[in-house]
Amino acid sequence: MLSFTDLFVTSLLAAAGLGSALPPRIGTTVINQDQSSFLNGRTTLKQVRNPRPHKAFNGARATYRTYLKHGVPAPEYIKTAIAHIDNEQEEAIARIKRDTGSAAAVPINEVDIAYVTPVTVGTPPQTLMLDLDTGSSDLWVFSSLTPSSQVRGQEIYSPAKSSTSKLLSGHTWSIRYGDGSGSRGTVYTDNFTIGGLEVESQAVQTAQEVSSSFTQEQSLDGLVGLGFSTLNTVRPSSQLTFFDNARPKLDEEVFTADLKYHATGSYDFGFIDRAKYTGNITYTPVQQSPGYWTHSLSGYAVGSGAFQSTQIQGISDTGTTLLYLPTAIVTAYYRQVQGAQNSQYYGGYVFPCSSTLPTFTFGIEGARFTIPASYINYTRISPTSSTCYGGLQSSSGLGINIFGDVALKAAFVVFSGTNPPRIGFGTK
Ligand SMILES: C[C@@H](SC(=N)N)c1ccc(Cl)cc1
Ligand SMILES: C[C@@H](SC(=N)N)c1ccc(Cl)cc1
């Protein structure tokens, strides 16, 4: 159980870095625009090369056509050769762009302070529960190198027990989150799987030291950073995230987050599950520097109040618990709550637990997403207290607006690694 100080100051900082690799594009069938032109009854056809043939050249088929052209019956073996080549080409393409993955997102306590997902590392597979975090880009785990005094119930990864682990010699990492939590250590590469999707030789950062808030959180065995690889802290050479490594084999270059209030949701890789949202996904551009999923909201509304159209730039961050917005918006919200106050003592907006809270609506382009009041009545200050702490807090101390789990669990979110990247929200 995270201490209450962790609760109040859940802001996290991830160090910046640079450089991410984009996967090669697989040729797709291109329907060429008709290059022909008509001029007073005469037709001119311009020849254009099919820029990206869907399939490679099939020599046997060309030979077959030559026989036909010269009126000579083609020998039987040519026809079977055509099928052999076609099959091998189909299998090759299928093999390249076929993978997807789907895994559970389980809240680690009764107030959804963070969500963990089962992953496997190494051979034979070692299962750990990791926090998939779009606000950072280090994949690190409690390990056999973590001092036992700092391990309290977590599962650990032991590279020595994996036949496929390799030390990335001379490489170290160190990450510091804004709430004071942090960790550091060395790096191995090993097979890494989430929801059936495997990446061979994924950089797995083994903790040699973790801060107390991680030691205290026994149901969290580490993090999977799903921010842009530019944020990775491994030195001397930074490492790619699981998503960047998996992208070339994914049917679609996306992963989705379907986080739920006090319930298990899911993360999917490589596909958008139509059953998880209604209507359409509304997309908005992402600015990927310095490495967060940075985008704008198109405005907000408090309860049944009028929608205020105003661009609010921030980051969609599955690794941060609450929703942090500019003070002006937050005070407008709590003005509607009897007995609410911005408490120095408790480090944020608190109110009587019996208060009736309004909903909070945010815009993505023209679409609107409403956060139920229950999500914002976040938690009691202490189990016996009648004072409650808000799920909407001011971002003024952070220097960045953070659309954390309180907001994200009100939508189905598509993190699209296309070029340029974009983020999409669907109603659920
Ligand atoms: C993106 C998160 S850190 C994380 N999700 N691992 C963040 C960054 C900066 C501040 Cl000030 C507070 C929180
Ligand atoms: C990645 C950040 S997010 C957060 N502080 N809510 C994190 C998660 C779990 C622990 Cl125990 C410590 C820090």
Side-chain angles (χ1 to χ4, degrees), residues 10 63 84 86 124 129 139 144 155 186 226 232 285 291 313 339 414:
T10 58
T63 304
H84 292 156
D86 278 348
M129 299 299 281
L139 193 167
S144 49
E155 293 298 317
T186 48
L226 293 175
N232 181 264
Q313 188 181 83
V414 182

Side-chain angles (χ1 to χ4, degrees), residues 19-240:
S20 72
L22 285 177
R25 305 275 322 148
I26 300 290
T28 50
T29 308
V30 177
I31 311 295
N32 287 324
Q33 295 308 319
D34 181 353
Q35 307 284 337
S36 57
S37 58
F38 295 88
L39 193 60
N40 46 23
R42 297 172 57 84
T43 307
T44 313
L45 276 174
K46 271 192 227 117
Q47 284 294 326
V48 287
R49 246 171 57 73
N50 179 344
R52 287 188 279 188
H54 178 62
K55 281 200 315 192
F57 175 69
N58 185 326
R61 182 171 279 114
T63 304
Y64 180 73
R65 287 195 181 117
T66 305
Y67 275 100
L68 284 190
K69 210 166 72 174
H70 295 283
V72 178
E76 251 340 275
Y77 73 86
I78 288 286
K79 293 175 193 161
T80 44
I82 291 171
H84 292 156
I85 295 172
D86 278 348
N87 288 343
E88 281 180 36
Q89 287 170 350
E90 281 306 329
E91 279 163 19
I93 287 169
R95 211 176 13 257
I96 292 170
K97 299 283 282 183
R98 183 203 54 216
D99 271 352
T100 63
S102 187
V106 185
I108 62 173
N109 70 1
E110 70 286 355
V111 292
D112 305 345
I113 188 172
Y115 296 83
V116 286
T117 293
V119 311
T120 66
V121 201
T123 313
Q126 301 176 38
T127 299
L128 277 70
M129 299 299 281
L130 304 184
D131 182 352
L132 271 55
D133 174 17
T134 58
S136 66
S137 306
D138 282 41
L139 193 167
W140 71 264
V141 293
F142 276 75
S143 73
S144 49
L145 293 82
T146 313
S148 54
S149 61
Q150 296 178 16
V151 183
R152 197 165 303 153
Q154 290 82 5
E155 293 298 317
I156 63 168
Y157 163 58
S158 303
K161 294 180 179 169
S162 168
S163 59
T164 40
S165 69
K166 289 192 189 70
L167 174 70
L168 197 60
S169 70
H171 285 71
T172 58
W173 58 281
S174 174
I175 194 162
R176 178 63 55 200
Y177 301 107
D179 66 353
S181 61
S183 48
R184 64 170 186 78
T186 48
V187 190
Y188 285 79
T189 58
D190 209 340
N191 298 349
F192 189 88
T193 301
I194 301 183
L197 174 65
E198 178 176 61
V199 166
E200 290 158 7
S201 72
Q202 167 68 44
V204 179
Q205 299 169 218
T206 42
Q208 290 178 312
E209 182 178 20
V210 301
S211 64
S212 59
S213 66
F214 284 113
T215 298
Q216 285 154 24
E217 192 43 70
Q218 62 179 10
S219 37
L220 185 143
D221 306 329
L223 266 68
V224 180
L226 293 175
F228 293 91
S229 294
T230 45
L231 288 178
N232 181 264
T233 72
V234 174
R235 295 297 178 267
S237 43
S238 79
Q239 301 299 304
L240 295 182

Side-chain angles (χ1 to χ4, degrees), residues 11-14 133 135-136 177 223 292 315 317 319-320 398 400 402:
S11 66
L12 303 162
L13 275 179
D133 174 17
S136 66
Y177 301 107
L223 266 68
Y292 300 125
I315 63 172
D317 178 11
T320 288
L398 308 180
I400 186 173
I402 305 183

